[in-house]
Amino acid sequence: MSSLVTPKRIPKFYRGNAACPGCPIPKELDVLLEVLGNKTVLVVPASCTTIIMGDTSGMPSTVPVIHSAFGAPAAIASGIVRALRTRGDKDVIVTVWAGDGSTGDIGFASLSGAAERNEDILYVCYDNEAYMNTGIQRSSLTPKGAWTTTTPEGKREFKKPLPFIIAEHKVPYVATASIAYIYDYEAKVRKAKQIRGFKYLHLLSPCPPGWRFDSKFTIDIAKLAVETGVWPLFEIENGEFRLTSVSKTLLDKKNRKPVTEYLKLQGRFKQLTEEEIKGIQEEIDEMWEEIKKLIKK
Amino acid sequence: MQVLKRKTLALVGNHAVAYAVKQSKPQVLAVFPITPQTTMLEKISEYIASEELKAELIKVESEHSALASIYGAALAGARVFTATSSQGLLYMTEMIYWAGGQRIPIVAAVATRAIAEPWSIWDDHQDFLSKRDAIWVQMMAENVQEAYDMTIQAFRISEDERVILPVMMGFDGFILTHTMERIEVLEDGEVDNFLPPRQFNLIDFSDPIGVGPIATPEDYIKYRYEAMKAMVRAKGVIEEVMNEYERISGRKQNGLVECYKCEDAKYVFVTMGAWSGDGKVAVDRLRNAGIEAGLLKIRVFRPFPKEKIEEYLRSMKGVIVLDRAYSYGSGGILANEIKATLYGYRVPVYSVIAGIGGKDVRPRHFQKVIEDLINDNLEEERWLL
């Protein structure tokens, strides 16, 4: 079965990379590459991972890495997969590994274009909910109420609902994941690997410096995001919506932890008033009512 | 030289380039429409749909993605092609620099066109010349025949192991893209011999590398130094490729610059692109009037053929550089390059800015400026309004 629990497993993504303490990205990449295997090409737009991947003197990745301009990863991946197809390399998994700014903002057109063309690529958005590599500026995926350096009063707008937007492109596979639920994440990568066409995986990646929490809490916060219902784990396979892992038990509101438990561990939400927290709780509850409707279909 | 009788076709410029592309057998192409390039990509789409050209065609959502997608395809080992114009070239600009900086073999055709604002669909060279520092080989065709020839040559130059640079083939929007001319084409097999399969692939699973990582200041400048040296080597390779093409095709290719009656001339026009033809007509008329005129046509703009230009122009009594593009606050772009090349020689260089945004230019305009020069009545910079 999974080799993740085997202590002597050789990491696919090496230690000694340039990630911040507590950053989940190296582990997320390690799991990804473990499942996808060595015939994977990573396309990485400007993001924290650009730094984590090292400089011209070497890189921690065990597979080829193609660095990409900020707005271009889905297009570059499209070209790579088409070229490999003409060369007869049909078993290579071309994977975009992009942050939320590239995915939801500057690269959104190329993402949407590749999804609409149903390119045979896996697009993974590791979402740390702001432009962290440049120092915590808001993105369209920053949640409402969160402090960033460009929203010192707390962001006023909603988080762009990217998994649903991509699903509206009628692609074969869309899923969400969390580093705290590693088997769920791994299973989704495994499923995506088997599917031809455009696959989109949205991975919540807590960021200690950006979210203002002690680096030892990364997994706790990733877990609380799921348990409070802020980050539902689901997959949409050929249009069919399905909750996965513990999120299946959260349709009943009383099984969901109050959102304050998620918010209070993070400095980025500390300026929120009781009233605002109540509003966030209401929005989560409303989202779950919508999810109920999706399941009934 | 024994040369076969060539197949002759009547083609508009866009279709001539599409035909050359088909014969060059790229494996991945990306298309996004923009006037006046559009009919080229329509023709390419037809070739692919009918399987006359067996290739992957990526129908992207923007020019930025057009160049990004073939950038990815090229580094994964495919021969690639795209085309654009004007605003599209500007929208590609970020990826233009990526392709140049990373030195990826790519061929792009640019149907030159004025840049907004205000909107203009007509020809000038402002788009093409704005990419002069992006580490691309840049060639400019005079007529439909040259656009066809240069397209095939561009793949060879781009993929030559001494060069490994992207190549931009410019040809004047509408003036060439939409004008039908009689051209001679190579046989498919001759192009196959001239263009062997590509030997380039940066994706290797047994020895994975990171393409385009962050470079330290110590490394970055070395990358740029290597790019500079590749450009220097490109001059020789371009001449070599064009000479070989000349042998195959039986058509004179002229290398980096073409000298039209300039060896014994006292006054010379320097031109680039389609109006070189009008310039040659003007030269003939001036010669008939007893004026020793000539014309030097820049066929390759990057790398800039300084040595050749110096050789031809250093003893002229007057040089008139015609520019279809301008560096605002500085001067005509080609004129500035020529002045820099002739630094140290006592050759008067005059800059004439004309044809901006498609403004009509005819042989009589050429004649007028040279007559003014001879009558000591030409200012250092003149705009033909």
Side-chain angles (χ1 to χ4, degrees):
Chain A
M1 283 304 290
S2 168
S3 55
L4 287 170
V5 289
T6 310
K8 283 181 185 164
R9 187 179 76 83
I10 298 162
K12 294 291 177 193
F13 191 80
Y14 296 128
R15 292 174 186 177
N17 57 66
C20 300
C23 175
I25 292 169
K27 187 67 192 170
E28 291 164 353
L29 276 168
D30 187 30
V31 172
L32 183 88
L33 296 178
E34 174 69 18
V35 176
L36 293 182
N38 280 341
K39 288 199 86 176
T40 301
V41 178
L42 288 180
V43 180
V44 179
S47 67
C48 294
T49 307
T50 307
I51 306 303
I52 295 170
M53 282 295 176
D55 62 16
T56 40
S57 59
M59 65 170 185
S61 170
T62 56
V63 302
V65 175
I66 309 304
H67 291 270
S68 157
F70 209 2
I76 291 180
S78 302
I80 293 171
V81 81
R82 301 287 193 107
L84 292 172
R85 195 189 294 170
T86 66
R87 297 168 67 90
D89 279 335
K90 290 182 169 45
D91 56 343
V92 178
I93 313 290
V94 179
T95 304
V96 175
W97 179 264
D100 50 288
S102 178
T103 306
D105 297 342
I106 187 169
F108 185 69
S110 76
L111 165 62
S112 175
E116 185 265 339
R117 295 190 303 272
N118 198 27
E119 298 283 356
D120 188 14
I121 59 179
L122 169 61
Y123 192 111
V124 186
C125 171
Y126 65 96
D127 183 1
N128 50 26
E129 302 196 317
Y131 292 90
M132 296 312 186
N133 195 31
T134 44
I136 325 167
Q137 296 82 28
R138 66 88 89 180
S139 79
S140 64
L141 271 73
T142 300
K144 194 176 176 185
W147 165 91
T148 68
T149 55
T150 51
T151 54
E153 75 290 12
K155 191 189 172 190
R156 301 258 162 91
E157 302 82 16
F158 290 104
K159 181 180 174 82
K160 196 187 271 187
L162 266 184
F164 293 105
I165 294 170
I166 304 305
E168 287 295 317
H169 289 69
K170 310 293 180 205
V171 297
Y173 191 69
V174 172
T176 58
S178 161
I179 188 64
Y181 294 87
I182 214 155
Y183 297 117
D184 179 72
Y185 168 42
E186 201 186 29
K188 286 166 176 168
V189 177
R190 187 172 293 118
K191 187 176 272 185
K193 187 184 176 183
Q194 303 307 324
I195 295 170
R196 295 278 72 83
F198 195 86
K199 289 83 61 178
Y200 180 80
L201 189 58
H202 200 128
L203 187 57
L204 188 69
S205 273
C207 170
W211 294 12
R212 296 286 189 251
F213 63 82
D214 191 308
S215 58
K216 70 185 177 191
F217 290 130
T218 306
I219 301 301
D220 295 307
I221 285 175
K223 196 158 185 249
L224 278 166
V226 174
E227 290 173 337
T228 56
V230 168
W231 191 250
L233 298 173
F234 61 82
E235 55 187 11
I236 305 171
E237 198 177 348
N238 297 318
E240 194 187 321
F241 181 94
R242 183 162 57 230
L243 288 165
T244 66
S245 191
V246 292
S247 292
K248 282 190 280 196
T249 67
L250 302 183
L251 276 170
D252 189 344
K253 194 189 169 190
K254 69 175 186 296
N255 291 337
R256 300 198 290 269
K257 289 185 177 171
V259 75
T260 44
E261 292 200 24
Y262 174 65
L263 303 179
K264 73 185 178 192
L265 276 173
Q266 304 174 51
R268 64 173 173 160
F269 292 116
K270 74 172 183 216
Q271 82 290 355
L272 291 178
T273 62
E274 286 300 316
E275 195 62 26
E276 285 169 326
I277 291 172
K278 199 165 155 253
I280 289 173
Q281 183 66 61
E282 282 167 8
E283 280 155 17
I284 293 167
D285 295 343
E286 277 167 28
M287 176 178 73
W288 280 90
E289 290 306 309
E290 293 299 316
I291 286 174
K292 269 181 201 161
K293 289 179 202 162
L294 292 174
I295 290 169
K296 274 179 192 159
K297 275 181 196 170
Chain B
M1 187 164 38
Q2 184 70 34
V3 174
L4 297 165
K5 186 162 173 11
R6 289 281 152 213
K7 186 156 96 177
T8 305
L9 300 173
L11 295 174
V12 297
N14 274 341
H15 289 177
V17 173
Y19 194 85
V21 168
K22 182 188 73 162
Q23 291 185 307
S24 301
K25 295 182 178 166
Q27 287 109 4
V28 181
L29 302 92
V31 295
F32 193 79
I34 183 167
T35 303
Q37 166 267 130
T38 315
T39 56
M40 184 201 306
L41 72 86
E42 287 171 349
K43 183 54 77 180
I44 286 171
S45 301
E46 286 170 25
Y47 285 142
I48 292 175
S50 66
E51 295 191 350
E52 274 181 82
L53 172 60
K54 288 192 177 63
E56 292 277 334
L57 184 66
I58 313 182
K59 292 148 189 164
V60 285
E61 79 295 338
S62 74
E63 287 94 349
H64 192 275
S65 284
L67 203 60
S69 61
I70 61 166
Y71 171 89
L75 65 81
R79 178 172 291 160
V80 301
F81 177 82
T82 194
T84 192
S85 185
S86 186
Q87 308 303 123
L89 190 68
L90 298 196
Y91 200 45
M92 272 183 188
T93 297
E94 185 191 28
M95 294 312 303
I96 295 258
Y97 275 81
W98 270 67
Q102 193 54 243
R103 291 182 56 202
I104 302 291
I106 283 173
V107 174
V110 176
T112 59
R113 172 185 151 185
I115 289 169
E117 182 57 21
W119 281 112
S120 167
I121 59 165
W122 292 280
D123 175 46
D124 69 28
H125 295 169
Q126 201 75 48
D127 53 355
F128 186 76
L129 290 179
S130 75
K131 300 296 160 281
R132 65 188 184 269
D133 306 325
I135 321 181
W136 281 58
V137 171
Q138 291 181 287
M139 310 191 292
M140 194 78 201
E142 176 191 333
N143 49 41
V144 174
Q145 181 74 61
E146 269 196 355
Y148 168 84
D149 293 337
M150 279 183 173
T151 301
I152 295 170
Q153 292 161 10
F155 287 100
R156 236 324 259 285
I157 294 161
S158 176
E159 295 170 18
D160 190 291
E161 63 179 13
R162 293 162 291 175
V163 179
I164 309 278
L165 285 168
V167 178
M168 203 177 281
M169 197 286 294
F171 65 133
D172 291 73
F174 290 112
I175 298 171
L176 298 184
T177 57
H178 286 63
T179 299
M180 190 172 284
E181 287 182 18
R182 175 188 172 281
I183 67 163
E184 291 181 349
V185 297
L186 297 183
E187 298 298 325
D188 291 351
E190 290 176 312
V191 180
D192 289 343
N193 290 336
F194 183 73
L195 271 179
R198 262 192 68 173
Q199 306 292 329
F200 180 92
N201 183 6
L202 296 180
I203 292 176
D204 181 354
F205 297 103
S206 61
D207 182 20
I209 58 165
V211 178
I214 194 163
T216 58
E218 285 74 18
D219 273 1
Y220 184 90
I221 193 168
K222 286 177 195 156
Y223 274 69
R224 288 299 191 249
Y225 182 67
E226 289 302 321
M228 179 277 289
K229 289 201 288 189
M231 274 290 179
V232 171
R233 288 195 299 271
K235 285 185 192 177
V237 173
I238 293 167
E239 288 194 310
E240 195 182 301
V241 168
M242 286 177 177
N243 287 341
E244 189 182 330
Y245 191 89
E246 185 170 307
R247 279 197 299 280
I248 297 166
S249 65
R251 280 191 302 280
K252 185 111 180 69
Q253 292 301 303
N254 299 305
L256 303 167
V257 297
E258 179 186 341
C259 162
Y260 184 75
K261 298 184 179 174
C262 65
E263 283 102 341
D264 63 337
K266 288 185 178 150
Y267 305 96
V268 166
F269 299 113
V270 178
T271 59
M272 189 165 73
W275 63 5
S276 305
D278 302 275
K280 289 171 186 173
V281 171
V283 165
D284 289 345
R285 290 180 189 170
L286 288 161
R287 288 264 176 179
N288 286 340
I291 296 169
E292 291 152 308
L295 181 140
L296 190 73
K297 182 179 86 180
I298 309 297
R299 284 164 47 87
V300 176
F301 182 74
R302 283 290 182 271
F304 198 65
K306 284 182 186 168
E307 300 79 5
K308 293 273 173 200
I309 292 166
E310 194 182 318
E311 196 180 301
Y312 283 119
L313 299 186
R314 64 186 167 202
S315 53
M316 292 296 163
K317 284 179 80 173
V319 170
I320 300 171
V321 185
L322 281 106
D323 259 298
R324 280 197 109 111
Y326 196 73
S327 180
Y328 292 85
S330 176
I333 292 173
L334 194 52
N336 283 351
E337 300 266 349
I338 297 292
K339 283 177 191 168
T341 301
L342 294 177
Y343 178 77
Y345 294 102
R346 296 170 65 92
V347 178
V349 178
Y350 300 87
S351 170
V352 174
I353 315 301
I356 301 291
K359 171 95 168 144
D360 197 24
V361 179
R362 295 177 178 215
R364 63 181 163 84
H365 296 111
F366 284 76
Q367 288 164 254
K368 175 76 165 62
V369 286
I370 220 162
E371 283 159 9
D372 284 355
L373 166 61
I374 288 164
N375 296 327
D376 210 11
N377 196 23
L378 184 63
E379 56 277 42
E380 198 187 325
E381 178 179 303
R382 178 180 291 183
W383 284 60
L384 300 188
L385 298 174

